[in-house]
Amino acid sequence: MYVTEHRALSGAPREMEDRTEITDALLRFALGQDLRDEDLFASCFTEDAELDFRPAAARWGAAPPLMKGRDAIVTTILSGFSGRVDTTHQVTNPRIAVTGDTARLTALVEAQHLLTADHDTHALLKNRYDVELVRDGGRWLMSRIRIENVWYTGDPAAIFTDSNRPGGVT
């Protein structure tokens, strides 16, 4: 499930470029959320992308839906945070495996969520990302993202609206 090859780079210039662009797709995902930049956030996904946050959310009893399609993902996440949640994301430990025009990326992402109106209500998550990507010209786009939670602290209310929180309407 995770990229565990024992070699980081064969030295080819194309491979170095691919690895940089693959990592950049996940960085666009993170920074797009933090800046509430719809264009930047959307630029990391294929049109038919799937985002599965269900494994992470299950850790605290939430049941968000599988998000399907770039437009639905962008709308769901950014509208859920806009004016309600301040976020910062840090991406670390990227591991990449490229096979032609497809790739796998695993990484750790630490995500801080604070309610805009009350920063005392916050959640800090450490998540493992398992990402499938496809080459699109000179850049790489994420087609499938699966997020698993390693640990979290705080209040999930800083992440989800009432409809996706434990005890809410699911």
Side-chain angles (χ1 to χ4, degrees):
M1 178 166 159
Y2 296 102
V3 177
T4 59
E5 280 76 13
H6 297 283
R7 205 183 76 186
L9 186 65
S10 69
R14 172 76 183 253
E15 185 178 358
M16 290 171 43
E17 183 178 329
D18 283 344
R19 288 174 175 278
T20 299
E21 292 301 324
I22 289 165
T23 303
D24 188 63
L26 187 52
L27 296 175
R28 294 192 313 266
F29 174 89
L31 189 59
Q33 288 179 74
D34 296 344
L35 297 178
R36 308 296 181 272
D37 185 322
E38 186 174 324
D39 292 333
L40 181 61
F41 189 52
S43 76
C44 70
F45 299 110
T46 61
E47 187 175 334
D48 63 345
E50 289 186 0
L51 175 59
D52 191 358
F53 191 70
R54 296 174 302 178
R59 293 274 298 208
W60 57 84
L66 174 66
M67 292 177 245
K68 293 184 178 184
R70 176 180 51 225
D71 294 342
I73 294 167
V74 170
T75 299
T76 300
I77 291 176
L78 293 187
S79 67
F81 289 166
S82 182
R84 192 180 79 77
V85 180
D86 297 326
T87 64
T88 57
H89 291 77
Q90 295 178 355
V91 177
T92 64
N93 301 2
R95 297 286 296 157
I96 299 164
V98 178
T99 306
D101 289 336
T102 63
R104 292 286 296 269
L105 164 67
T106 58
L108 290 175
V109 177
E110 189 169 282
Q112 178 76 51
H113 299 74
L114 299 101
L115 289 184
T116 303
D118 175 17
H119 279 187
D120 287 336
T121 303
H122 56 85
L124 177 63
L125 295 83
K126 180 68 81 171
N127 295 323
R128 284 189 196 99
Y129 278 54
D130 182 26
V131 183
E132 297 175 21
L133 301 99
V134 296
R135 187 187 310 272
D136 180 37
R139 68 181 185 166
W140 287 82
L141 302 176
M142 299 190 302
S143 58
R144 305 278 181 278
I145 305 99
R146 178 179 164 84
I147 303 171
E148 293 182 350
N149 183 253
V150 178
W151 57 261
Y152 80 93
T153 184
D155 186 345
I159 305 167
F160 292 109
T161 60
D162 287 337
S163 65
N164 289 322
R165 289 183 54 214
V169 178
T170 57

